[in-house]
C-alpha cells in the first residue's frame, strides 16, 4: 500500500486518462463475455490481450505483485479442489469419458482435466483487466464514475471516504498496539499462547472502535456544515471529461458484447473438448 | 448602530440527554465585521454556543431551546443547516477529522460539489481560495502528507470559498504547535482585515489569540456569559483568574508586581504596557525581591542516550546523534515542533523503534536489544489521548491489566491496584465503569495503569493537551507529587508554560538534533534556540527584555516561584 493507503498508482497512460465509468463498462462487458462462454480458445486470446493492456499501463511489478500472486494461488487451489472433489465432472459436461487415473472413491477423467484448465483460464482472463482497473482508477474518480453510472452519490462517496480513513486507522492500530505491548501484552509469536494473543488483539478493538465513533461524528459534522446531502445530485471536482478515446472504447465494448451474445445465442462457445 | 448579525436574547439550551441546561440566559449581539473571542474553561458552554451559531444545534444535536436567537434577523430553526452554512463557515477543532477529500483541491471543492457546480467553474475558485491561504503549490497532496497547520489552512480555504461572511473557529489552536498557532492567528487577522468578515474564535488559550487585535472578548463560565469587554478591560480585571482561565503570563507578572492595571494602560499590548514608566518601576522593585536561585544537587543518571541515530528508510535520518541523560527523580521536558523527531525519540526509548547507531543505557546497562515488553517493566509510556489506551470496561480491571498479564497473584494485584488508585485519587471510583469518567479522570486512569507497574521512568506525550488551565494545574500538581517520590518523568510537549513550571531541565529538539539542553528557565529564554526550533518565546522573557528590569532567566525563575506560591494558596 502506498503512503496514502490507496491502491491507485499515479501515471499517465491511456488507462490512467480514461474515465472511470468507461473503465467500469469495459470491466463489466469483459466479465459478461467471459461468463457467457466456456471455451478455452476464447479465454487464451482474452488473457493475452489483457496482459498486453496491463503491460501498456506500465504499473510497477513490485506494487501489483501481491494481488497478482493472490489471484494465481487462489486459482490453483480452486483447480486442485475441483479435481479432488469432482474428478469426473468434466465427463458429465462433455458427455464422453476417458479415464486416466483411478482414485479409489472415483475416477479422474481427461475431460475433467480439460474442464479445470478451461475454468482456470477463465479466471485468469479476468485477472489482468481487474488489476488494471484497481490500480489505474483513483478512488474519488471511481466514486464519481459509480455515481455517473447510476449508483447513488451517498453510497459512492462512502466508498471514497473509506479510502480516506484506512491509513489513519492503520496508524492508530499501530500506536495502540505499541502502547499495549509496553504494558506487557504480547501480540507476536512466542509472546503467549494463541488464545492469549487473540484476546490481546480483541482488546485493541475497544479503543479503536471508540476513536472511530468519535471520528465519524467529526466527519459527519464537517460534511453537514459544508452542505453534503443538500441536493439529490452533486458534481465532482475530480470528474474527468469524456474524451474521444472513452467513446471509442465504450462503443467497441458494446459491439463486442452484442456480437458475443449473438454468437452465444446461436449455440457457440459451450464447453469445448478437443478429443 | 448597525443591526447585529447574530443576536441572542435570554437564550438557553439543554441537550436532550442531559438533566441541566448547558447554556443559561445568554444575551449577546455580534455586529458585522467584528472579531470576537469567546473564552471559557471546559464545560463553560462555549462549544455549545458555537454549535448554536453554525446550526449543528438544533439540526444535529437536539434538545430544548428557549429564548430568542436570530441570524440576520431570521430564526435559524426556520432555516436549514445548509442555508446557515452559507452565512456561517465553521473551522472545526480536529484538523485531521474535518479533512474530507483525498486531495487538497478536492477538499476545498467539497462545498461546490454539493452545490452542483460544474467542475470547470470550480477550478478557478479553488485556485483562488488556496492562493489566499498559501497552499496552492500543494493542491495535489493527500491529507496524510500535510501537517496539522496545513490541514487547518485547507479547511479555511474551503470555508472562504463558500463566501460565508461569518467565520467561526472552534478551538483553532488545539493540536497546533506554537509556530503553526501563531501563523494561524496571523492568517486570521489578515483575512479579517482584507475581507472585513465577522470572525468568532472559540478558544481557552487567550494569550495566543490576543497577540493579534481582537475587538471584544466574551468570557463564559458554567453556561453563562460572565463578562463581555475589550481585551484591555478583560485583562485589567481579575475575571479570567476567577473562572479558571490562564491570563497572559506577562499580565500575571505585572499583577504580582503590584501594578494596578487599567484599560487605558493597554494591557492587551505587551509593547505598550511595558513602555509605561510606572510599570517599569514596579517591576524593577518586584524583580529585585527575587531570592537567588538555589542549585539542586545533580541527579544520578537513570537513562542515558549516547549519540543515538535513527532512520526509517536508511536514507533520511530522523534522529541525528542525540545524547541525553535523564536523572533519577528528574522531570525533563522534551520540546520541539511537530516533525522535529520528538515521538521518534520516545519510540527509541520505549523500544518501538530500534536505533541504527548509538547506545541507550538504563542504570548503566545497555538496553538496545530489549523488546518493548521488557522495557515496559522499567519505562512507562502514556499516550496523549486516554481513549487510545483504555481497553477494559471497568476502572479496576484497566489498572490491574498489566499486573495480571505479568502473572502476579490476584492477592498481590489487589494490594497494588488499591494502593495505586489511592495515590491517584481514584479509590472512590474503583467499582465504576470507565465510561462514566470525565476526560481528565480517564487521563488519571491511564497514569494509574502505568504507575501500578512501578516503572522508573514515565514518558508522558502532551499530557495537558485538550485540558483547560484549571484541570491542567490539577493534573500537573498530581504529577509533581509523584515525581517527588523519586520517579523520573519525560514530558513530550510543545507547551512552553508546562515546561517552565513543572520541569527542572529542558531539551530542545530540532530536525533530529538536540540544539539546547539545560535548566528550563535558561533554555526557554535562549532566544536563538527558540527561534531555530521554531518555538515561541514566553511573554515573560519578552517583558523582561522590553522593560530591561533584570536578566530574562532570573525574571522567569522569580515568576515561577511566585506562581507556585499563589497556586499553592488557591
Amino acid at each position: 500500500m502506498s503512503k496514502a493507503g490507496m491502491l491507485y498508482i499515479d501515471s499517465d497512460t491511456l488507462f490512467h486518462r480514461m474515465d472511470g465509468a468507461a473503465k467500469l463498462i469495459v470491466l463489466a462487458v469483459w466479465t459478461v463475455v467471459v461468463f457467457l462462454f466456456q471455451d478455452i480458445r476464447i479465454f487464451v486470446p482474452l488473457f493475452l490481450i489483457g496482459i498486453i493492456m496491463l503491460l501498456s499501463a506500465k504499473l510497477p511489478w513490485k506494487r501489483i505483485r501481491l494481488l497478482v500472486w493472490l489471484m494465481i494461488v487462489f486459482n490453483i487451489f480452486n483447480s486442485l479442489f475441483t479435481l479432488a472433489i469432482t474428478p469426473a465432472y468434466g465427463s458429465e459436461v462433455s458427455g464422453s469419458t476417458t479415464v486416466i487415473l483411478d482414485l479409489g472413491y472415483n475416477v479422474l477423467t481427461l475431460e475433467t482435466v480439460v474442464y479445470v484448465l478451461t475454468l482456470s483460464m477463465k479466471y485468469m482472463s479476468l485477472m489482468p483487466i481487474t488489476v488494471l482497473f484497481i490500480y489505474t482508477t483513483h478512488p474519488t474518480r471511481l466514486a464519481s464514475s459509480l455515481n455517473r453510472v447510476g449508483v447513488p452519490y451517498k453510497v459512492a462517496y462512502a466508498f471514497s471516504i473509506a479510502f480516506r480513513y484506512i491509513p489513519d486507522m492503520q496508524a492508530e492500530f499501530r500506536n495502540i498496539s505499541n502502547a499495549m505491548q509496553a504494558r506487557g501484552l504480547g501480540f507476536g509469536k512466542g509472546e503467549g499462547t494463541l488464545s492469549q494473543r487473540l484476546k490481546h488483539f480483541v482488546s485493541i478493538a475497544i479503543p479503536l472502535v471508540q476513536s472511530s465513533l468519535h471520528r465519524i461524528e467529526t466527519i459527519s459534522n464537517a460534511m453537514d456544515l459544508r452542505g453534503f446531502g443538500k441536493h439529490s445530485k452533486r458534481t465532482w471536482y475530480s470528474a474527468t471529461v469524456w474524451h474521444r478515446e472513452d467513446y471509442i472504447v465504450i462503443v467497441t465494448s458494446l459491439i463486442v458484447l452484442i456480437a458475443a451474445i449473438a454468437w452465444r445465442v446461436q449455440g457457440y462457445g459451450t464447453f469445448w473438448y478437443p478429443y | 448602530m448597525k443591526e447585529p448579525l447574530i443576536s441572542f436574547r435570554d437564550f438557553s439550551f439543554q441537550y436532550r440527554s442531559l438533566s441541566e441546561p448547558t447554556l443559561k440566559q445568554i444575551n449577546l449581539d455580534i455586529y458585522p465585521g467584528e472579531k470576537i473571542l469567546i473564552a471559557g474553561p471546559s464545560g463553560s458552554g462555549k462549544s455549545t454556543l458555537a454549535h448554536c451559531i453554525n446550526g449543528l444545534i438544533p439540526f444535529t444535536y437536539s434538545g430544548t431551546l428557549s429564548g430568542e436567537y436570530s441570524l440576520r434577523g431570521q430564526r435559524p430553526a426556520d432555516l436549514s443547516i445548509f442555508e446557515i452554512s452559507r452565512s456561517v463557515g465553521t473551522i472545526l477543532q480536529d484538523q485531521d477529522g474535518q479533512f474530507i477529500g483525498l486531495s487538497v483541491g478536492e477538499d476545498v471543492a467539497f462545498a461546490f460539489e454539493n452545490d452542483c457546480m460544474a467542475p470547470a467553474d470550480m477550478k478557478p475558485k479553488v485556485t483562488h481560495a488556496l492562493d489566499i491561504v498559501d497552499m496552492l503549490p500543494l493542491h495535489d497532496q493527500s491529507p496524510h502528507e500535510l501537517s496539522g497547520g496545513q490541514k487547518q489552512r485547507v479547511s479555511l480555504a474551503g470555508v472562504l470559498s463558500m463566501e460565508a461572511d461569518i467565520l467561526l473557529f472552534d478551538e483553532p489552536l488545539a493540536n497546533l504547535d506554537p509556530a503553526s498557532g501563531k501563523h494561524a492567528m496571523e492568517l486570521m487577522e489578515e483575512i479579517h482585515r482584507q475581507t472585513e468578515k465577522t470572525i468568532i474564535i472559540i478558544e481557552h488559550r487567550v494569550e495566543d489569540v490576543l497577540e493579534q487585535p481582537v475587538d471584544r472578548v466574551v468570557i463564559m463560565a458554567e453556561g453563562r456569559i460572565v463578562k463581555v469587554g475589550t481585551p484591555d478591560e478583560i485583562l485589567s480585571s481579575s475575571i479570567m483568574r476567577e473562572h479558571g482561565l490562564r491570563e497572559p503570563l506577562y499580565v500575571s507578572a505585572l499583577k504580582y508586581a503590584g501594578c494596578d492595571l487599567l484599560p487605558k494602560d493597554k494591557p492587551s499590548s505587551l509593547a505598550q504596557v511595558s513602555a509605561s514608566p510606572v510599570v517599569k518601576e514596579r517591576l524593577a522593585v518586584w524583580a529585585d525581591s527575587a531570592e537567588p536561585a538555589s542549585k539542586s544537587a545533580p541527579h544520578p543518571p537513570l537513562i542515558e542516550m549516547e549519540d543515538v541515530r535513527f532512520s526509517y528508510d536508511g536514507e533520511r535520518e530522523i534522529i541525528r546523534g542525540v545524547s541525553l541523560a535523564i536523572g533519577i527523580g528528574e522531570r525533563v521536558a522534551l520540546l520541539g515542533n511537530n516533525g522535529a523527531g520528538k515521538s521518534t525519540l520516545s519510540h527509541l526509548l520505549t523500544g518501538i523503534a530500534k536505533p541504527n547507531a548509538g547506545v541507550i543505557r538504563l542504570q548503566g546497562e545497555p538496553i538496545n536489544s530489549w523488546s518493548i515488553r521488557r522495557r515496559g517493566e522499567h519505562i512507562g509510556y502514556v499516550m496523549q489521548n486516554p481513549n487510545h489506551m483504555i481497553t477494559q470496561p471497568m476502572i479496576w480491571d484497566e489498572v490491574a491489566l498489566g499486573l495480571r498479564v505479568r502473572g502476579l497473584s490476584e492477592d498481590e494485584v489487589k494490594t497494588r491496584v488499591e494502593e495505586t488508585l489511592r495515590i491517584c485519587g481514584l479509590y472512590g471510583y474503583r467499582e465504576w465503569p470507565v465510561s462514566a469518567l470525565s476526560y481528565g479522570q480517564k487521563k488519571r486512569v491511564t497514569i494509574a495503569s502505568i504507575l501500578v507497574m512501578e516503572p522508573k521512568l514515565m514518558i508522558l506525550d502532551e499530557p495537558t493537551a485538550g485540558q483547560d488551565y484549571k484541570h491542567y494545574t490539577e493534573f500537573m500538581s498530581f504529577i509533581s507529587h509523584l515525581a517527588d517520590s523519586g520517579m523520573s518523568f519525560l514530558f513530550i510537549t510543545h507547551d512552553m508554560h508546562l515546561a517552565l513550571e513543572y520541569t527542572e531541565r529542558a531539551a530542545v529538539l530540532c530536525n533530529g538534533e538536540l540544539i539546547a539542553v539545560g535548566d528550563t528557565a535558561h533554555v526557554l529564554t535562549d532566544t536563538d534556540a527558540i527561534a531555530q526550533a521554531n518555538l515561541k518565546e514566553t511573554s515573560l522573557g519578552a517583558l523582561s527584555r522590553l522593560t530591561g528590569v533584570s536578566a530574562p532567566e532570573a525574571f522567569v525563575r522569580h515568576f515561577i516561584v511566585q506562581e507556585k506560591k499563589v497556586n499553592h494558596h488557591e
Side-chain angles (χ1 to χ4, degrees):
Chain A
M1 281 228 181
S2 73
K3 202 174 161 196
M6 295 187 274
L7 296 165
Y8 175 69
I9 302 168
D10 196 29
S11 180
D12 189 28
T13 71
L14 172 67
F15 293 100
H16 286 87
R17 280 193 304 272
M18 251 170 77
D19 183 80
K23 268 186 279 192
L24 204 58
I25 289 171
V26 173
L27 182 67
V29 167
W30 195 289
T31 311
V32 169
V33 169
V34 164
F35 277 93
L36 276 178
F37 298 105
Q38 196 66 288
D39 192 332
I40 198 163
R41 290 169 304 177
I42 295 171
F43 297 149
V44 170
L46 278 177
F47 175 67
L48 293 176
I49 296 169
I51 290 288
I52 292 166
M53 280 159 59
L54 186 59
L55 289 176
S56 75
K58 300 197 187 90
L59 297 170
W61 171 242
K62 252 175 93 173
R63 292 275 299 279
I64 63 170
R65 64 180 172 193
L66 181 69
L67 186 63
V68 172
W69 281 121
L70 218 64
M71 288 177 167
I72 292 174
V73 167
F74 174 79
N75 198 357
I76 290 171
F77 270 103
N78 188 36
S79 305
L80 288 179
F81 278 118
T82 314
L83 282 179
I85 295 163
T86 54
Y89 183 70
S91 304
E92 277 175 44
V93 186
S94 68
S96 65
T97 306
T98 320
V99 177
I100 50 171
L101 196 67
D102 191 347
L103 295 170
Y105 63 93
N106 207 333
V107 287
L108 176 67
T109 64
L110 184 63
E111 288 81 2
T112 313
V113 174
V114 174
Y115 174 77
V116 166
L117 216 61
T118 308
L119 204 65
S120 63
M121 226 33 233
K122 180 174 184 160
Y123 293 134
M124 286 321 282
S125 63
L126 283 171
M127 188 264 285
I129 185 84
T130 313
V131 170
L132 193 65
F133 181 76
I134 291 174
Y135 287 97
T136 62
T137 313
H138 190 277
T140 356
R141 264 174 260 160
L142 177 60
S144 75
S145 306
L146 287 172
N147 184 211
R148 191 183 309 203
V149 296
V151 177
Y153 77 80
K154 287 186 181 171
V155 176
Y157 210 86
F159 182 83
S160 160
I161 276 273
F163 275 96
R164 160 75 182 84
Y165 288 97
I166 288 170
D168 287 10
M169 299 277 292
Q170 284 174 326
E172 216 153 87
F173 178 82
R174 265 197 306 275
N175 284 338
I176 296 170
S177 89
N178 284 337
M180 287 296 130
Q181 283 179 59
R183 283 170 74 185
L185 273 71
F187 295 96
K189 260 188 205 156
E191 296 184 320
T193 63
L194 190 66
S195 78
Q196 271 173 345
R197 281 160 53 199
L198 267 174
K199 227 166 97 187
H200 294 165
F201 269 112
V202 172
S203 70
I204 293 187
I206 294 171
L208 208 59
V209 167
Q210 171 106 28
S211 77
S212 301
L213 290 176
H214 182 75
R215 211 185 276 282
I216 289 167
E217 188 180 345
T218 311
I219 305 162
S220 67
N221 281 350
M223 290 172 76
D224 279 351
L225 289 171
R226 291 166 71 188
F228 188 76
K230 192 194 293 189
H231 303 292
S232 58
K233 278 192 297 191
R234 92 195 281 273
T235 50
W236 301 77
Y237 177 72
S238 57
T240 42
V241 186
W242 284 39
H243 294 292
R244 212 174 49 166
E245 296 145 344
D246 294 309
Y247 289 108
I248 294 174
V249 167
I250 288 171
V251 170
T252 316
S253 302
L254 292 178
I255 292 172
V256 169
L257 181 66
I258 292 164
I261 291 172
W263 211 36
R264 184 69 185 78
V265 167
Q266 290 176 8
Y268 294 100
T270 49
F271 178 57
W272 176 73
Y273 180 63
Y275 306 109
Chain B
M1 199 73 192
K2 282 184 277 187
E3 279 287 296
L5 259 183
I6 290 173
S7 173
F8 289 97
R9 284 281 166 273
D10 297 327
F11 180 83
S12 302
F13 176 76
Q14 181 173 343
Y15 286 103
R16 205 171 47 189
S17 57
L18 296 183
S19 57
E20 287 226 6
T22 303
L23 293 177
K24 300 165 198 157
Q25 300 289 313
I26 300 291
N27 283 296
L28 181 66
D29 286 327
I30 298 174
Y31 294 94
E34 264 195 307
K35 188 174 173 193
I36 287 205
L37 164 64
I38 300 178
S42 317
S44 61
K46 60 185 192 304
S47 293
T48 305
L49 190 65
H51 287 162
C52 293
I53 295 173
N54 65 24
L56 285 176
I57 292 175
F59 295 103
T60 301
Y61 303 107
S62 48
T64 329
L65 297 110
S66 67
E68 290 293 315
Y69 165 45
S70 67
L71 175 68
R72 290 172 196 289
Q74 285 180 291
R75 281 181 36 159
D78 300 336
L79 305 168
S80 70
I81 191 164
F82 308 127
E83 283 168 300
I84 296 173
S85 73
R86 224 180 262 284
S87 298
V88 184
T90 311
I91 288 91
L92 299 170
Q93 175 181 349
D94 182 343
Q95 292 108 7
D96 186 65
Q98 68 183 308
F99 199 111
I100 303 161
L102 278 165
S103 75
V104 167
E106 213 180 277
D107 190 65
V108 175
F110 188 72
F112 296 143
E113 296 178 323
N114 297 327
D115 238 348
C116 296
M117 188 185 279
D121 299 334
M122 288 180 198
K123 305 249 150 114
K125 289 188 185 244
V126 168
T127 305
H128 178 69
L130 282 174
D131 198 32
I132 296 175
V133 300
D134 268 339
M135 287 290 291
L136 195 50
L138 300 176
H139 73 100
D140 241 359
Q141 301 270 31
S142 79
H144 311 280
E145 295 162 332
L146 304 177
S147 71
Q150 286 172 327
K151 281 182 202 155
Q152 188 182 59
R153 277 193 270 160
V154 173
S155 303
L156 180 54
V159 166
L160 284 175
S161 68
M162 289 165 80
E163 288 169 4
D165 45 17
I166 302 167
L167 298 182
L168 177 67
F169 293 86
D170 190 1
E171 305 215 15
L173 298 173
N175 311 322
L176 289 190
D177 58 48
S180 315
K182 193 170 186 327
H183 195 115
M185 294 314 302
E186 284 164 359
L187 185 61
M188 275 178 225
E189 176 58 18
E190 203 181 307
I191 287 167
H192 182 236
R193 255 185 298 138
Q194 284 173 0
T195 61
E196 293 181 352
K197 286 184 195 291
T198 308
I199 294 190
I200 304 169
I201 303 164
I202 313 278
E203 185 55 73
H204 61 89
R205 285 163 64 178
V206 175
E207 171 159 8
D208 302 85
V209 178
L210 291 187
E211 273 178 21
Q212 299 291 331
V214 165
D215 297 315
R216 283 193 298 160
V217 181
V218 176
I219 305 283
M220 291 189 69
E222 289 165 10
R224 295 175 197 277
I225 291 180
V226 291
K227 196 169 171 91
V228 182
T230 64
D232 290 326
E233 286 163 8
I234 297 288
L235 293 181
S236 333
S237 73
S238 58
I239 191 87
M240 289 180 62
R241 252 183 196 272
E242 283 162 24
H243 293 287
L245 280 166
R246 166 149 241 165
E247 287 174 329
L249 288 177
Y250 70 91
V251 173
S252 296
L254 292 172
K255 289 181 179 170
Y256 290 150
C259 300
D260 292 318
L261 292 175
L262 293 170
K264 66 173 172 50
D265 298 325
K266 301 270 174 233
S268 67
S269 156
L270 175 57
Q272 289 197 36
V273 77
S274 58
S276 146
V278 185
V279 163
K280 270 188 197 173
E281 200 181 306
R282 286 278 168 101
L283 267 185
V285 173
W286 181 69
D288 281 345
S289 70
E291 295 148 30
S294 57
K295 271 271 169 228
S296 58
H299 299 267
L302 174 71
I303 289 268
E304 293 159 285
M305 299 182 98
E306 205 177 288
D307 198 26
V308 169
R309 293 178 178 275
F310 177 77
S311 92
Y312 284 103
D313 52 10
E315 282 168 26
R316 207 171 62 89
E317 280 198 323
I318 312 286
I319 297 296
R320 304 188 294 175
V322 165
S323 298
L324 178 68
I326 300 166
I328 294 174
E330 198 177 24
R331 285 166 294 174
V332 180
L334 182 62
L335 297 161
N337 255 329
N338 294 344
K342 295 191 305 265
S343 342
T344 311
L345 200 66
S346 73
H347 287 175
L348 289 168
L349 284 173
T350 51
I352 293 167
K354 296 271 157 79
N356 301 102
V359 192
I360 304 174
R361 291 199 188 82
L362 178 76
Q363 291 177 310
E365 191 186 344
I367 57 166
N368 285 36
S369 61
W370 288 19
S371 67
I372 306 181
R373 289 173 81 197
R374 188 160 171 211
R375 291 194 204 190
E377 295 175 17
H378 307 276
I379 302 170
Y381 176 57
V382 180
M383 297 169 86
Q384 178 178 333
N385 185 344
N387 294 327
H388 284 176
M389 284 191 79
I390 297 174
T391 60
Q392 306 295 314
M394 303 301 291
I395 292 174
W396 179 279
D397 295 330
E398 178 63 26
V399 177
L401 178 71
L403 296 179
R404 285 182 178 152
V405 168
R406 274 194 207 168
L408 266 65
S409 72
E410 208 45 41
D411 275 350
E412 192 168 350
V413 170
K414 188 164 184 278
T415 1
R416 274 169 74 171
V417 171
E418 272 183 10
E419 190 195 329
T420 309
L421 287 174
R422 277 209 180 89
I423 296 171
C424 298
L426 292 167
Y427 190 72
Y429 302 102
R430 63 194 180 282
E431 308 284 337
W432 283 39
V434 173
S435 54
L437 299 183
S438 72
Y439 186 89
Q441 286 169 325
K442 282 186 189 166
K443 193 90 196 180
R444 274 186 193 226
V445 170
T446 61
I447 304 270
S449 67
I450 298 297
L451 193 66
V452 75
M453 324 263 286
E454 295 170 356
K456 298 185 178 76
L457 168 71
M458 199 185 285
I459 302 174
L460 294 165
D461 196 351
E462 291 293 354
T464 55
Q467 299 190 57
D468 63 31
Y469 184 50
K470 186 166 160 269
H471 292 102
Y472 165 121
T473 314
E474 270 173 24
F475 182 74
M476 287 311 291
S477 35
F478 158 64
I479 296 286
S480 301
H481 178 71
L482 292 179
D484 292 341
S485 64
M487 221 163 94
S488 310
F489 282 90
L490 180 67
F491 300 101
I492 298 171
T493 184
H494 42 232
D495 183 343
M496 309 291 267
H497 299 169
L498 181 148
L500 207 53
E501 282 184 33
Y502 297 99
T503 66
E504 289 128 33
R505 231 151 44 88
V508 179
L509 199 61
C510 175
N511 289 328
E513 281 176 274
L514 281 185
I515 55 166
V517 186
D519 184 89
T520 307
H522 179 73
V523 169
L524 292 192
T525 46
D526 178 347
T527 38
D528 290 341
I530 297 280
Q532 200 187 332
N534 223 0
L535 290 167
K536 219 172 95 182
E537 191 192 22
T538 66
S539 59
L540 290 175
L543 179 65
S544 85
R545 228 177 292 283
L546 284 168
T547 53
V549 292
S550 69
E553 191 181 331
F555 187 84
V556 164
R557 212 173 262 134
H558 185 43
F559 176 83
I560 296 165
V561 171
Q562 187 86 33
E563 181 97 337
K564 279 194 182 142
K565 276 185 206 157
V566 174
N567 280 341
H568 201 74
H569 279 293
E570 273 177 6

